[in-house]
Amino acid sequence: MVFESQKVASKYFVISAVFFGLQVVVGLLLILKYIWPDPLIGIIPFNTARAIHTNLLVVWMIFGFMGGTYYIVPEESGTELYSKKLANLQFWLLLIGGLVGVVGFLFGWTAGRPLLELPVELKWAIVVVALIFIFNVFMTMIRTKKWTAIQGMLLGGIVMLAVMWLFGIPFFKNLTLDYYYWWWVIHLWVEGAWELIAASLMAFVLLKITGVERQVIEKWLYVEVALVLITGIIGTGHHYYWIGTPGYWLWWGGIFSALEPVPIVLMVFDTLNHVRHKKLEITNRLVLYWTVGCALFHFFGAAVMGMLHTLPQVNRWTHGTQVTASHGHLAFFGAYAMLILTVIYYALPALKGLKQFNQRKGFWVFWITVSMMLTLGLAFGVAGVIQSYMQRGLGIDFLTVQGFMKPWFIAVFIAGLGFFIGVILFIIDVLQIAMKKE
Amino acid sequence: MERKTARNFFIWGTAVCTAIFIWLTIDTHTTIPKRTNTDKLTDEVVRGKRVWHKYNCNDCHTILGIGGYYSPDMTKVYSSRGENWLRIFLKNPESTDPQRRKMPNQKLSGDEIKNLITFFKWVDAIDTNEWPPKPITVAKVTGAPLEETAQILKGKNVYNQNRCDLCHRIGGQGGVIGPDLSHIGTKRDTKWLSNLIINPKSINPMTQMPAYPQLSEDEVQALASFLGGLK
Ligand code: HEM
Ligand SMILES: [Fe+2]
């Protein structure tokens, strides 16, 4: 840490960790509903719980991104934050907005669109939060003497994130158009804006821990982000095969999304390369593990598991089955959860001025969450293959097939419990580091 | 490669791909009226869509394959179940089987049910490039062995044509709204069965089963013999 105002990041990290824990609790509740008859159906039915599970995910990741951004921007720009007050205000607004959203879901206050369940009033409130955030970041960056690619990409990512969000706000009369623009939020976030943010944050961490020249790191950042957008924007078409949109999307979407793994593979190589050619002794070995682990798991969850069902010939059979859930979990964990944990394990000790800190717990968190999420995702995957084959291939009734998938749902539950232990350890670790005296 | 080359690649690549994407989006819009029959997208359909959102149905069910994977897809529900069945089901979806995954009763009003069904009807006709796909092979149903006289065969036909299987099960195939009929012949005779089919309310005034006045006397007899033979 170099600048005093970077400290606003800590509370973002703490809330990020806590909401992560809550998300996982609700996830466990969801999988139980698949396995046994649901005693809570009258209080918190599946749909409500799913809305909470996915929205908590988005909120904790946004907290993580914002915390990471507030940590990095002063250091990159060589100046204090434009306004610590705004950063604090924005923190509380987002926290309150998130909590109101979750409580609202419990009382049936919902827009009723998957992943975009927040009611329209809250969606606009989020826009206000985003504007404050962007303003604050932008005003800090323009004080810089030398614009860096990391700054530019980061700013581009958060602006794109906010702009895409707007397409999730209106009510659409036509279901096909509804989903057409729904994917402008969902897909263009995870395979667009978020990749920009993640790649910039990762570039910063690599720059700091390996000491490789900025020129080299930023060159690769440009190439990777370019490829992400070139493949990912038209790649949105892999969601336009069956929703009422024209058949040419099978070509556009199929070909471009099949190229989406290219930048992700590049990220793996370039991370390993930077680490190999490091100019500094890497003292924070835990961060090194998270960095490399993130690159590899990002590759597996997003590139491999995404690729498996992105071609229309396959997607025709797997669309709308647990195959999607399998990929969703592995990709989100590998690409974004691990990234945020990397940033937290890098930035939080630094904020406390800790040169050394006890990394034992952090390594436990690493191995437990990685192995358990791998198991969980693969179990969903097997369930999904069974479902695609029996339900779509053989035309057997939906609920009958769910019976055949049950053992794999039980596996998901068990892995989920293990994962939960890892997350609890993580929360304890974060709280302990955050509360350390400097 | 220089950093500057990389930067130009980024700027131009992104700009060109964004332009193509916007062009495809505009073209897609021009195909929407025909592919989704916007002339049939009435206010009633829109009200039905709002009901769909109001109860957050989409976080349990997929529609066009998107949403929660907890419950069956709704894209073709209109043509596979039919209006009658939907009306009855939506009024009281709770299964009597405690082991089965339950849909909670949303206490929908009659209007809401009507609008939802109109919405499903409109969705059913969207051109989805033939999704969901037709199964490659249809799994064989092995019901109880039947002595297939002409009369019984005819009854089986009546059963299939009137989609009794939407509510009832025989040998594990079929719906769960009504009782399982796999061994109905051990409990009821053909007389009782034909009375029930002609007027279900005469046997149980609370029943949700609709009457089938369109069946001829012959067909009722055939159906009753078929069912009576299920032992
Ligand atoms: C970090 C990157 C990624 C994340 C976080 C991610 C996440 C997700 C999520 C959550 C969904 C499900 C959305 C829903 O219907 O509710 C999804 C769907 C999908 N993803 Fe990804 N994804 C990523 C990258 C990729 C990549 C690189 C590919 C292709 C190579 C891909 C291919 C697909 C496909 C084909 C679907 C649609 C599945 C279907 O509904 O049939 N994803 N993704
Ligand atoms: Fe996608």
Side-chain angles (χ1 to χ4, degrees), chain A residues 338-359:
Chain A
M338 289 188 78
L339 171 95
I340 292 168
L341 269 63
T342 306
V343 172
I344 292 181
Y345 272 119
Y346 171 76
L348 201 54
L351 279 170
K352 292 286 149 179
L354 302 173
K355 285 255 153 24
Q356 299 286 331
F357 69 105
N358 189 343
Q359 304 186 342

Side-chain angles (χ1 to χ4, degrees), chain A residues 45-229:
Chain A
F46 185 91
N47 54 350
T48 305
R50 184 176 190 263
I52 296 176
H53 178 65
T54 53
N55 279 270
L56 280 174
L57 163 78
V58 175
V59 173
W60 83 256
M61 295 206 156
I62 301 271
F63 269 109
F65 288 154
M66 287 177 166
T69 306
Y70 279 137
Y71 180 88
I72 284 167
V73 168
E75 216 165 301
E76 278 290 292
S77 306
T79 163
E80 294 286 352
L81 265 187
Y82 170 73
S83 165
K84 252 181 101 166
K85 273 216 188 71
L86 281 180
N88 281 325
L89 170 75
Q90 186 237 303
F91 167 83
W92 288 107
L93 287 179
L94 184 60
L95 181 58
I96 293 168
L99 290 175
V100 171
V102 169
V103 175
F105 290 151
L106 290 171
F107 291 95
W109 193 35
T110 174
R113 298 168 71 204
L115 311 185
L116 300 181
E117 293 92 346
L118 282 185
V120 65
E121 295 82 356
L122 285 178
K123 286 200 180 108
W124 282 113
I126 300 286
V127 172
V128 174
V129 173
L131 286 176
I132 300 178
F133 174 64
I134 292 172
F135 176 74
N136 206 5
V137 169
F138 181 74
M139 293 305 284
T140 311
M141 284 183 179
I142 56 170
R143 291 178 179 174
T144 187
K145 291 191 191 63
K146 187 169 172 302
W147 272 85
T148 67
I150 293 180
Q151 281 173 310
M153 287 299 176
L154 191 53
L155 183 64
I158 59 184
V159 170
M160 180 174 172
L161 186 154
V163 170
M164 297 337 290
W165 174 249
L166 298 177
F167 290 93
I169 298 180
F171 170 82
F172 293 88
K173 291 183 178 174
N174 187 316
L175 187 69
T176 295
L177 289 178
D178 187 334
Y179 277 130
Y180 191 88
Y181 291 105
W182 187 82
W183 285 113
W184 283 34
V185 188
I186 310 306
H187 170 98
L188 288 175
W189 265 10
V190 298
E191 285 151 78
W194 289 29
E195 289 278 11
L196 266 68
I197 298 172
S200 337
L201 297 180
M202 197 48 110
F204 178 86
V205 172
L206 279 171
L207 183 73
K208 294 290 158 170
I209 65 169
T210 64
V212 170
E213 300 86 356
R214 183 180 282 277
Q215 282 289 328
V216 179
I217 289 194
E218 293 200 333
K219 180 180 83 185
W220 286 109
L221 178 61
Y222 272 126
V223 174
E224 284 156 9
V225 173
L227 289 171
V228 164
L229 292 176

Side-chain angles (χ1 to χ4, degrees), chain A residues 231-289:
Chain A
T231 59
I233 292 175
I234 300 177
T236 316
H238 66 175
H239 304 293
Y240 297 160
Y241 301 154
W242 328 117
I243 64 165
T245 37
Y248 55 65
W249 282 111
L250 273 66
W251 290 96
W252 286 103
I255 291 169
F256 276 80
S257 72
L259 294 170
E260 281 182 42
V262 173
I264 303 175
V265 173
L266 218 58
M267 288 179 201
V268 175
F269 279 116
D270 121 87
T271 305
L272 294 176
N273 241 338
H274 294 332
V275 171
R276 201 169 306 127
H277 298 116
K278 60 181 187 289
K279 301 281 184 324
L280 300 171
E281 201 43 55
I282 299 179
T283 48
N284 193 338
R285 284 186 53 78
L286 180 57
V287 170
L288 177 66
Y289 267 67

Side-chain angles (χ1 to χ4, degrees), chain A residues 50 114-115 182-183 186-187 190-191 194-195 238-239 241-242 257-261 264 298 301-303 305-311 315 318-321 324-325 327-329 331-333 335-336, chain B residues 65-67 69:
Chain A
R50 184 176 190 263
L115 311 185
W182 187 82
W183 285 113
I186 310 306
H187 170 98
V190 298
E191 285 151 78
W194 289 29
E195 289 278 11
H238 66 175
H239 304 293
Y241 301 154
W242 328 117
S257 72
L259 294 170
E260 281 182 42
I264 303 175
H298 181 189
M305 297 304 281
M307 187 63 210
L308 281 179
H309 63 151
T310 203
L311 294 177
N315 193 262
T318 59
H319 180 55
T321 68
T324 313
H327 156 68
H329 282 82
F332 259 109
F333 179 73
Y336 302 120
Chain B
I66 300 166
Y69 311 115

Side-chain angles (χ1 to χ4, degrees), chain A residues 180 184 188 229-236 248-249 252 256, chain B residues 10-28:
Chain A
Y180 191 88
W184 283 34
L188 288 175
L229 292 176
I230 288 170
T231 59
I233 292 175
I234 300 177
T236 316
Y248 55 65
W249 282 111
W252 286 103
F256 276 80
Chain B
F10 163 72
I11 293 173
W12 285 104
T14 308
V16 169
C17 287
T18 307
I20 297 178
F21 187 62
I22 291 175
W23 166 60
L24 288 170
T25 297
I26 293 171
D27 189 78
T28 297

